[in-house]
Amino acid sequence: MKKILPLFALLLSLAASRAADLSFAWTAPVAAPPATHYKLYERTGTSPNYVYTEVGTTTAPVTSFTLLNVTPALHFYVVTSIVRYLTPAPTDIESVYSVAAWWAPRPAAPTDLRITELPEQAALPDFQNWFVNK
Amino acid sequence: MRRATSILFVWLLATLAALGVILEWDAVTTKQDGTPADNLAGYRAYYGNASRNYSADVDVGNFTSVTLPTLPGITYYAVTAYDEDGLESDFSDEVSYTADVPQPPTGLTATEL
């Protein structure tokens, strides 16, 4: 029994912190030149020393991406537009980073909600009439 | 509405991707009727994202070149000349510059599946 309890606690902990799948969507820029690709980055660190790690690429006109198995913590993401020129040599020209979107696991819903009826209120003594009668 | 003094010839001399563009044009020497433009006072450069509908202008003075910013997408440029009486020419021919660097996407959202 002593060996089973820690294992049970570990399983409970893992279940509570399971990875998430995230769906990203964005709006293509209107201004020319038209993007040929998009890159999704995770942004870590603090301003002005952000670190950007590429986590996905899509080919226009697709403006969405699914990221699997994201660890349950606060994450920031940005996306860029890419214009890929093939001549005279393959070259990617990339926009600045978009405004960041963030995701963090929501708290679990409370469980075992219970309701109890209050006991009936005892009637207060009628002091006004008590003095008159006295 | 504008009283033309001459036709300007403008061309895009060079492009500076991040800093802007340089516009250069020939000096105006005559009025619209062909007489000498002896009271020419300067030039005004216009630019914006819509062709022939400019959103900004710069008084260049009596110079025949100016460095102007580029806007996201396509930026259109034109120049006018004005004289000491404040009379301004028609717009010159128009030139344009298309930004090489794309704009970033907008409205990024992250949703848990």
Side-chain angles (χ1 to χ4, degrees):
Chain A
M1 188 67 178
K2 282 182 181 177
K3 289 182 180 176
I4 293 175
L5 275 177
L7 182 63
F8 184 68
L10 177 65
L11 287 173
L12 274 179
S13 166
L14 288 174
S17 63
R18 69 175 185 274
D21 297 337
L22 301 183
S23 171
F24 295 90
W26 56 88
T27 303
V30 176
T36 58
H37 299 77
Y38 300 99
K39 279 187 182 177
L40 183 69
Y41 293 87
E42 179 172 2
R43 189 186 77 187
T44 55
T46 54
S47 179
N49 300 312
Y50 289 129
V51 176
Y52 296 91
T53 306
E54 185 182 332
V55 293
T57 303
T58 69
T59 301
V62 176
T63 55
S64 61
F65 187 80
T66 301
L67 189 61
L68 304 176
N69 297 319
V70 177
T71 56
L74 177 60
H75 295 270
F76 290 91
Y77 298 92
V78 296
V79 67
T80 61
S81 302
I82 307 283
V83 177
R84 182 162 296 168
Y85 295 98
L86 298 178
T87 56
T91 307
D92 279 359
I93 297 180
E94 190 167 11
S95 73
V96 297
Y97 297 111
S98 71
V99 174
W102 63 272
W103 174 82
R106 292 183 301 164
T111 58
D112 196 19
L113 183 62
R114 296 173 300 278
I115 186 168
T116 306
E117 187 181 8
L118 289 173
E120 281 186 22
Q121 229 175 359
L124 291 172
D126 187 351
F127 289 110
Q128 189 177 359
N129 290 333
W130 187 79
F131 282 114
V132 170
N133 293 337
K134 292 290 176 184
Chain B
M1 187 151 66
R2 293 174 189 280
R3 286 175 53 181
T5 59
S6 180
I7 298 173
L8 292 170
F9 296 95
V10 180
W11 66 90
L12 200 60
L13 178 70
T15 60
L16 305 171
L19 300 177
V21 295
I22 299 171
L23 292 183
E24 271 199 346
W25 56 92
D26 291 343
V28 170
T29 56
T30 60
K31 295 185 180 179
Q32 195 175 27
D33 61 3
T35 59
D38 47 10
N39 64 340
L40 191 76
Y43 303 93
R44 186 167 285 116
Y46 292 82
Y47 61 98
N49 278 127
S51 177
R52 294 299 186 195
N53 186 13
Y54 309 108
S55 55
D57 65 88
V58 174
D59 190 339
V60 181
N62 206 13
F63 297 97
T64 55
S65 68
V66 64
T67 300
L68 294 174
T70 60
L71 304 175
I74 302 174
T75 310
Y76 296 90
Y77 303 89
V79 179
T80 62
Y82 60 89
D83 63 21
E84 291 170 354
D85 296 327
L87 300 177
E88 190 171 8
S89 73
D90 289 333
F91 287 123
S92 68
D93 291 341
E94 187 177 73
V95 293
S96 66
Y97 173 80
T98 302
D100 287 334
V101 180
Q103 293 296 295
T106 55
L108 177 63
T109 58
T111 309
E112 186 173 351
L113 295 175

